Amino acid sequence: MESVRSDAAASPGESALTVKILVAGGFGVGKTTLVSAVSEIRPLRTEEALTEKSIGIDDTSAVASKTTTTVAMDFGRITLPNGLVLFVFGTPGQDRFWFMWDELAKGALGAVVLVDTRRLADCFASVDYFERRGVPFIIGVNRFDGAGQHSPDQVRDALDLSADIPVITCDVRERESAKQVLITLVEHIMRTMSGRQAVTY
């Protein structure tokens, strides 16, 4: 990992290790909510109101109360107890904005793929994107009212994931729950990088 100076997180004469991560997933799965819940700064949002033009394009049937959508990215920052600073970027969920993903993914060491079990297929593209690029990722199963209760193993089997990819249940509206998702990702990144270094040697 590259060590980058972060004046807000480090005292004079020290440098903080910063890591860029992505939060991905389908439309309305909670990406903006997660970034907002954990950010220690005012999060940057690029949301626009849903209009009649999105009818037939954006499926809001499972998220009827949703009135806005991310059209570029969300950005927040959080400092973990060990001093590690995470730059958290939320990706747009609709496929018409996926052209931005390659830019957002540059320099990212890992990703969270948020899942709504009522619309499990919506996360397939995100999982495929990170698998093809060898980017470490975890699955965050966001709890929604009315969604069935599924164990992490059931979700892993449904997504055809290997046993080493963490699947964690969360409620991204709650700061501590959302924070635990990011901690789980960082731990997974560290294990993955250690394993790759061991293979190299």
Side-chain angles (χ1 to χ4, degrees), residues 135-183:
V135 176
F137 69 94
I138 69 167
I139 300 295
V141 182
N142 197 11
R143 287 192 285 266
F144 284 89
D145 296 335
Q149 298 297 315
H150 303 280
S151 71
D153 285 340
Q154 288 175 320
V155 174
R156 180 182 289 105
D157 289 344
L159 296 177
D160 194 25
L161 300 175
S162 61
D164 64 311
I165 297 177
V167 177
I168 181 173
T169 302
C170 58
D171 184 338
V172 299
R173 297 170 296 183
E174 300 176 0
R175 177 177 170 80
E176 288 305 313
S177 182
K179 185 176 175 181
Q180 187 56 51
V181 172
L182 300 183
I183 291 172

Coordinates of all heavy atoms in Angstrom, one line a residue, residues 135-183:
V135 N -9.7 -7.3 -8.0 CA -9.8 -6.4 -6.9 C -10.4 -7.1 -5.7 O -11.6 -7.6 -5.8 CB -10.6 -5.1 -7.3 CG1 -10.8 -4.2 -6.1 CG2 -10.0 -4.4 -8.4
P136 N -9.8 -7.1 -4.5 CA -10.4 -7.8 -3.4 C -11.7 -7.1 -3.0 O -11.8 -5.8 -3.0 CB -9.4 -7.6 -2.2 CG -8.1 -7.3 -2.9 CD -8.4 -6.6 -4.2
F137 N -12.8 -7.9 -2.7 CA -14.1 -7.3 -2.4 C -14.8 -8.2 -1.3 O -14.4 -9.3 -1.2 CB -14.9 -7.1 -3.6 CG -15.4 -8.4 -4.2 CD1 -16.6 -8.9 -3.9 CD2 -14.6 -9.0 -5.2 CE1 -17.1 -10.1 -4.5 CE2 -15.1 -10.2 -5.8 CZ -16.3 -10.7 -5.4
I138 N -15.7 -7.6 -0.6 CA -16.5 -8.3 0.3 C -18.0 -8.0 -0.1 O -18.3 -7.0 -0.8 CB -16.3 -7.9 1.7 CG1 -16.8 -6.5 2.0 CG2 -14.8 -8.1 2.1 CD1 -16.9 -6.2 3.5
I139 N -18.9 -8.8 0.4 CA -20.3 -8.6 0.2 C -20.9 -8.0 1.5 O -20.8 -8.6 2.6 CB -21.0 -9.9 -0.2 CG1 -20.4 -10.5 -1.5 CG2 -22.5 -9.7 -0.3 CD1 -20.7 -9.6 -2.7
G140 N -21.6 -6.9 1.4 CA -22.4 -6.4 2.5 C -23.9 -6.6 2.2 O -24.4 -6.0 1.3
V141 N -24.5 -7.4 3.0 CA -26.0 -7.7 2.8 C -26.7 -6.7 3.6 O -26.8 -6.8 4.9 CB -26.3 -9.1 3.2 CG1 -27.8 -9.4 3.0 CG2 -25.5 -10.2 2.5
N142 N -27.2 -5.7 3.0 CA -27.9 -4.6 3.6 C -29.3 -5.0 4.0 O -30.1 -5.6 3.2 CB -28.0 -3.3 2.7 CG -28.3 -2.1 3.5 OD1 -28.3 -2.0 4.7 ND2 -28.6 -1.0 2.7
R143 N -29.7 -4.7 5.3 CA -31.0 -5.2 5.8 C -32.1 -4.2 5.3 O -32.0 -3.0 5.6 CB -31.0 -5.3 7.3 CG -30.3 -6.5 7.8 CD -30.6 -6.7 9.3 NE -29.9 -5.7 10.1 CZ -28.7 -5.9 10.7 NH1 -28.1 -7.0 10.5 NH2 -28.1 -5.0 11.4
F144 N -33.1 -4.7 4.6 CA -34.2 -3.9 4.2 C -35.5 -4.4 4.8 O -35.6 -5.7 5.0 CB -34.4 -3.9 2.7 CG -33.4 -3.0 1.9 CD1 -32.1 -3.6 1.6 CD2 -33.6 -1.7 1.6 CE1 -31.2 -2.8 0.9 CE2 -32.7 -0.9 1.0 CZ -31.5 -1.4 0.6
D145 N -36.4 -3.5 5.1 CA -37.7 -4.0 5.6 C -38.4 -4.8 4.6 O -38.5 -4.4 3.4 CB -38.6 -2.8 6.0 CG -38.0 -2.0 7.1 OD1 -37.3 -2.5 7.9 OD2 -38.4 -0.8 7.2
G146 N -38.9 -6.0 5.0 CA -39.6 -6.8 4.1 C -38.7 -7.8 3.3 O -39.2 -8.7 2.6
A147 N -37.4 -7.7 3.5 CA -36.5 -8.7 2.9 C -36.4 -9.9 3.7 O -36.4 -9.9 4.9 CB -35.1 -8.0 2.7
G148 N -36.3 -11.0 3.1 CA -36.2 -12.3 3.8 C -34.8 -12.4 4.5 O -33.9 -11.7 4.1
Q149 N -34.8 -13.2 5.5 CA -33.6 -13.4 6.3 C -32.8 -14.5 5.7 O -33.3 -15.7 5.6 CB -33.9 -13.7 7.7 CG -34.6 -12.6 8.4 CD -33.8 -11.3 8.5 OE1 -32.6 -11.4 8.9 NE2 -34.5 -10.2 8.2
H150 N -31.6 -14.2 5.2 CA -30.7 -15.2 4.6 C -29.4 -15.2 5.3 O -28.8 -14.2 5.6 CB -30.5 -14.9 3.1 CG -31.8 -14.8 2.3 ND1 -32.5 -16.0 1.9 CD2 -32.6 -13.8 1.9 CE1 -33.6 -15.6 1.3 NE2 -33.7 -14.3 1.3
S151 N -28.8 -16.4 5.5 CA -27.5 -16.5 6.1 C -26.4 -16.1 5.2 O -26.6 -16.1 3.9 CB -27.3 -17.9 6.6 OG -27.1 -18.8 5.5
P152 N -25.3 -15.7 5.7 CA -24.2 -15.3 4.8 C -23.8 -16.5 3.8 O -23.5 -16.2 2.7 CB -23.0 -15.0 5.8 CG -23.7 -14.5 7.0 CD -25.0 -15.3 7.1
D153 N -23.9 -17.7 4.3 CA -23.5 -18.9 3.5 C -24.5 -19.0 2.3 O -24.2 -19.4 1.2 CB -23.5 -20.2 4.3 CG -22.2 -20.3 5.1 OD1 -21.2 -19.6 4.8 OD2 -22.2 -21.0 6.1
Q154 N -25.8 -18.7 2.6 CA -26.8 -18.8 1.6 C -26.6 -17.7 0.5 O -26.7 -18.0 -0.7 CB -28.2 -18.6 2.2 CG -28.7 -19.8 3.0 CD -30.0 -19.5 3.7 OE1 -30.3 -18.4 4.2 NE2 -30.9 -20.5 3.7
V155 N -26.2 -16.6 0.9 CA -25.9 -15.5 0.0 C -24.7 -15.8 -0.8 O -24.7 -15.6 -2.1 CB -25.8 -14.1 0.7 CG1 -25.3 -13.0 -0.3 CG2 -27.1 -13.7 1.4
R156 N -23.7 -16.3 -0.2 CA -22.4 -16.7 -0.9 C -22.7 -17.8 -1.9 O -22.2 -17.7 -3.1 CB -21.4 -17.2 0.1 CG -20.1 -17.7 -0.5 CD -19.1 -18.2 0.4 NE -18.5 -17.1 1.3 CZ -18.9 -17.0 2.6 NH1 -19.7 -17.8 3.1 NH2 -18.3 -16.0 3.3
D157 N -23.5 -18.8 -1.6 CA -23.9 -19.8 -2.5 C -24.7 -19.3 -3.7 O -24.4 -19.6 -4.9 CB -24.7 -20.9 -1.8 CG -23.9 -21.8 -0.9 OD1 -22.6 -21.7 -1.0 OD2 -24.5 -22.5 -0.1
A158 N -25.6 -18.3 -3.4 CA -26.4 -17.8 -4.5 C -25.6 -16.9 -5.5 O -25.9 -16.9 -6.6 CB -27.5 -16.9 -3.9
L159 N -24.5 -16.3 -4.9 CA -23.6 -15.5 -5.8 C -22.5 -16.3 -6.4 O -21.7 -15.8 -7.1 CB -23.1 -14.3 -5.0 CG -24.1 -13.3 -4.5 CD1 -23.5 -12.2 -3.7 CD2 -24.9 -12.7 -5.7
D160 N -22.4 -17.6 -6.0 CA -21.3 -18.5 -6.4 C -20.0 -17.9 -6.1 O -19.1 -17.9 -7.0 CB -21.5 -18.7 -7.9 CG -20.6 -19.9 -8.4 OD1 -20.3 -20.8 -7.6 OD2 -20.2 -19.9 -9.6
L161 N -19.8 -17.5 -4.9 CA -18.5 -16.9 -4.4 C -17.7 -18.0 -3.7 O -18.2 -18.9 -3.1 CB -18.8 -15.8 -3.4 CG -19.6 -14.6 -4.0 CD1 -19.9 -13.6 -2.9 CD2 -18.9 -13.9 -5.1
S162 N -16.4 -17.8 -3.8 CA -15.5 -18.7 -3.0 C -15.6 -18.4 -1.5 O -16.0 -17.3 -1.1 CB -14.0 -18.4 -3.5 OG -13.6 -17.1 -3.2
A163 N -15.1 -19.4 -0.8 CA -15.3 -19.3 0.7 C -14.5 -18.2 1.3 O -14.7 -17.8 2.5 CB -14.9 -20.7 1.3
D164 N -13.4 -17.7 0.7 CA -12.6 -16.8 1.3 C -13.1 -15.3 1.1 O -12.5 -14.4 1.7 CB -11.2 -16.8 0.6 CG -11.2 -16.5 -0.8 OD1 -12.0 -17.0 -1.6 OD2 -10.4 -15.6 -1.3
I165 N -14.2 -15.1 0.4 CA -14.8 -13.8 0.3 C -15.8 -13.6 1.4 O -16.8 -14.3 1.5 CB -15.5 -13.6 -1.1 CG1 -14.4 -13.7 -2.2 CG2 -16.2 -12.3 -1.1 CD1 -15.0 -13.6 -3.6
P166 N -15.5 -12.6 2.3 CA -16.4 -12.4 3.4 C -17.8 -11.9 3.0 O -17.9 -11.1 2.1 CB -15.7 -11.3 4.2 CG -14.3 -11.3 3.8 CD -14.3 -11.8 2.4
V167 N -18.8 -12.4 3.7 CA -20.2 -11.9 3.5 C -20.7 -11.5 4.8 O -20.7 -12.3 5.8 CB -21.1 -13.0 2.9 CG1 -22.5 -12.5 2.8 CG2 -20.6 -13.5 1.5
I168 N -21.1 -10.2 5.0 CA -21.4 -9.7 6.3 C -22.8 -9.0 6.2 O -23.1 -8.3 5.2 CB -20.3 -8.7 6.8 CG1 -20.7 -8.1 8.1 CG2 -20.1 -7.5 5.8 CD1 -19.6 -7.2 8.8
T169 N -23.6 -9.2 7.2 CA -24.9 -8.6 7.2 C -24.8 -7.2 7.9 O -24.0 -7.1 8.9 CB -25.9 -9.5 8.0 OG1 -26.0 -10.7 7.4 CG2 -27.3 -8.8 8.0
C170 N -25.5 -6.2 7.4 CA -25.3 -4.9 7.9 C -26.6 -4.0 7.8 O -27.5 -4.4 7.1 CB -24.2 -4.2 7.2 SG -24.4 -4.0 5.4
D171 N -26.6 -2.9 8.5 CA -27.6 -1.9 8.3 C -26.9 -0.6 8.1 O -26.4 0.0 9.1 CB -28.5 -1.8 9.5 CG -29.7 -0.8 9.3 OD1 -29.6 0.1 8.5 OD2 -30.7 -0.9 10.0
V172 N -26.7 -0.2 6.9 CA -25.8 0.9 6.6 C -26.4 2.3 7.1 O -25.7 3.3 7.0 CB -25.5 1.0 5.1 CG1 -24.8 -0.3 4.6 CG2 -26.8 1.3 4.2
R173 N -27.6 2.3 7.6 CA -28.1 3.5 8.2 C -27.4 3.8 9.6 O -27.4 4.9 10.1 CB -29.6 3.4 8.4 CG -30.4 3.3 7.1 CD -31.8 3.0 7.4 NE -31.9 1.7 8.0 CZ -33.1 1.1 8.3 NH1 -34.2 1.7 8.0 NH2 -33.1 -0.1 8.9
E174 N -26.9 2.7 10.2 CA -26.2 2.8 11.5 C -24.7 2.9 11.3 O -24.1 2.0 10.7 CB -26.6 1.6 12.3 CG -28.1 1.4 12.5 CD -28.4 0.1 13.3 OE1 -27.4 -0.6 13.6 OE2 -29.6 -0.1 13.5
R175 N -24.1 3.9 11.9 CA -22.7 4.2 11.7 C -21.8 3.0 12.1 O -20.9 2.6 11.3 CB -22.3 5.4 12.5 CG -20.8 5.8 12.4 CD -20.4 7.0 13.1 NE -19.0 7.2 13.2 CZ -18.2 7.7 12.3 NH1 -18.7 8.0 11.1 NH2 -16.9 7.8 12.4
E176 N -22.1 2.4 13.2 CA -21.2 1.3 13.7 C -21.3 0.1 12.8 O -20.3 -0.6 12.5 CB -21.5 1.0 15.1 CG -21.0 2.0 16.1 CD -19.5 2.3 16.0 OE1 -18.7 1.4 15.9 OE2 -19.2 3.5 16.0
S177 N -22.5 -0.2 12.3 CA -22.7 -1.3 11.4 C -22.0 -1.0 10.1 O -21.3 -1.9 9.5 CB -24.2 -1.5 11.1 OG -24.4 -2.6 10.3
A178 N -22.1 0.2 9.5 CA -21.5 0.5 8.3 C -19.9 0.5 8.4 O -19.2 0.1 7.6 CB -21.9 1.9 7.8
K179 N -19.5 1.0 9.6 CA -18.1 1.0 9.9 C -17.5 -0.4 9.9 O -16.4 -0.6 9.5 CB -17.8 1.8 11.2 CG -16.4 2.0 11.6 CD -16.3 2.8 12.9 CE -14.9 2.9 13.4 NZ -14.8 3.7 14.6
Q180 N -18.2 -1.3 10.5 CA -17.8 -2.7 10.6 C -17.6 -3.3 9.2 O -16.7 -4.1 9.0 CB -18.7 -3.5 11.4 CG -18.2 -4.9 11.7 CD -16.8 -5.0 12.4 OE1 -16.6 -4.3 13.4 NE2 -15.9 -5.7 11.9
V181 N -18.4 -2.9 8.3 CA -18.3 -3.4 6.9 C -16.9 -3.0 6.3 O -16.2 -3.8 5.7 CB -19.4 -2.8 6.0 CG1 -19.2 -3.1 4.5 CG2 -20.8 -3.4 6.4
L182 N -16.6 -1.7 6.6 CA -15.3 -1.2 6.1 C -14.1 -1.9 6.8 O -13.1 -2.2 6.1 CB -15.2 0.3 6.2 CG -16.3 1.1 5.5 CD1 -16.1 2.6 5.7 CD2 -16.3 0.8 4.0
I183 N -14.2 -2.1 8.0 CA -13.1 -2.8 8.8 C -13.0 -4.2 8.2 O -11.8 -4.7 8.0 CB -13.5 -2.8 10.3 CG1 -13.3 -1.4 10.9 CG2 -12.5 -3.8 11.0 CD1 -13.8 -1.3 12.3

